[in-house]
Amino acid sequence: MLRLGVVGAGGFATFLTGALRDLPDVAVTVVADPDNDRAGRLARTLAARPVPDWRALVTADDVDVVVVATPPAGHAETILAALRAGRHVFAEKPLATNEDEAASIRDAVAATGRVLVVDHVLRYNPVLRALARLRDPRFAAPPGAPSDPLLGPVRRLAFENDASDEDLGPEHWFWDERVSGGIFVEHGVHFFDAADALVGAAPESVQGMLGHRPGSDLADLAVATTRYPDGALATFAHGFSHAHRCERQLMRIDFGTAEARVTGWIPVHATVDLWTDDAGAELVEHLPARAGELLAVDGHRLRDPAVTVVVRRHAGPAHARERGRQRQLPHHCRITVDLGGEAAKPYAYAESVRAAMHDLVRCVRTGGRPVAGVTEGATAVTVAAAAARSAREDRTVHLRRSSEHPTACPS
């Protein structure tokens, strides 16, 4: 049994521990929060003991994993203390609020050998995992048989998030960059990281711009563009000025001979239109029978997923240049993946959190590498901080690579 000590007893800590409640082999034993009443309420719900100081929690004998569920400004200090105390860490995003803190955490993970998982839930989302599998030639053919993947390399990605500010009053810590890191860092890391996962690489440069609320110096709109080593481009727009009922999110991914449209910041639905050859059309036709395999994420319990396909077989050749060579792609296919629509978002979100903790447990036991580990978390912070720097300095920020991790080039 891995014993969890939860730092923070607010709304997110309540949601997170609820998502983990029936995960085998983990149990919350300690809750820390400077608000004694809040710590006590959550601790009673979890049959844990409350403490007022997180420093006592990270060294407690009955804590194996420190769960960091506080506002971002406190993440780095808590994570570093936990690692140095020999504890594993499950950290809410962002890993840190700046590149230097993220680098220190990366070094501490390497020095201590502890497992750290960042709660980048999009890496544990079945819809995005399905898109990754459709890019994998191993999914398209029996073992050992050569095959082309259904989806080619990402050429362009666009994410648009028209988010609500109804719960973000002017005094909320979200608007204080000293606490949140700003929109790019507090919120954008999810989507910079998801783009890296879909592209299969970290960006080499980033441009950022900020828009301000009319009549105010409050930045409530953040837009960034990233360029990847193979020439792919991604754009991200995050606006916080909408009513709850007017929220909307859309991710569009151009694969050249295919396009995917993904809805929901927690993806619950995707439509893929593609042109393919005879073998690809046959693969598409069998996808509904392989829905469980297509959408599988360890630790994420799928609930009535639907995969539907339409294949329009056209007579005669249709040539397209794909991955640098000409292919005949006469068939148009549409693949729809649905986890249950907007009503399924809370469940999909909770299950992705559960899957991330399941990943940590797996890595503690096997010595494996997490899907969303310190490298992914630190890279997302680096890119987000570079976008914020670009916006401040009104210039492109170039990122240089050092082993696995990009860093911003000095001005």
Side-chain angles (χ1 to χ4, degrees), residues 186-275:
E186 198 284 333
H187 190 71
V189 289
H190 268 311
F191 309 100
F192 291 126
D193 180 61
D196 291 357
L198 289 164
V199 173
E204 62 182 15
S205 62
V206 59
Q207 293 178 331
M209 297 185 73
L210 293 173
H212 293 81
R213 191 164 291 186
S216 168
D217 60 358
L218 179 67
D220 62 356
L221 176 62
V223 178
T225 299
T226 53
R227 184 179 65 215
Y228 294 83
D230 66 353
L233 297 175
T235 57
F236 310 85
H238 309 281
F240 289 85
S241 59
H242 293 70
H244 281 311
R245 67 183 62 184
C246 300
E247 280 198 328
R248 51 198 173 262
Q249 298 88 24
L250 174 67
M251 183 185 296
R252 178 183 176 273
I253 311 163
D254 175 15
F255 298 96
T257 56
E259 176 199 58
R261 289 179 175 266
V262 182
T263 56
W265 90 260
I266 295 293
V268 291
H269 185 275
T271 300
V272 182
D273 281 289
L274 69 142
W275 286 88

Side-chain angles (χ1 to χ4, degrees), residues 90-95 117-125 189-191 193-194 352 356 371-373 376-378 380-381:
F90 184 91
E92 169 57 356
K93 60 77 196 166
L95 179 68
V117 168
V118 185
D119 189 31
H120 281 303
V121 290
L122 298 185
R123 285 191 181 255
Y124 300 93
N125 177 267
V189 289
H190 268 311
F191 309 100
D193 180 61
S352 294
V371 172
E376 292 75 20
V381 170

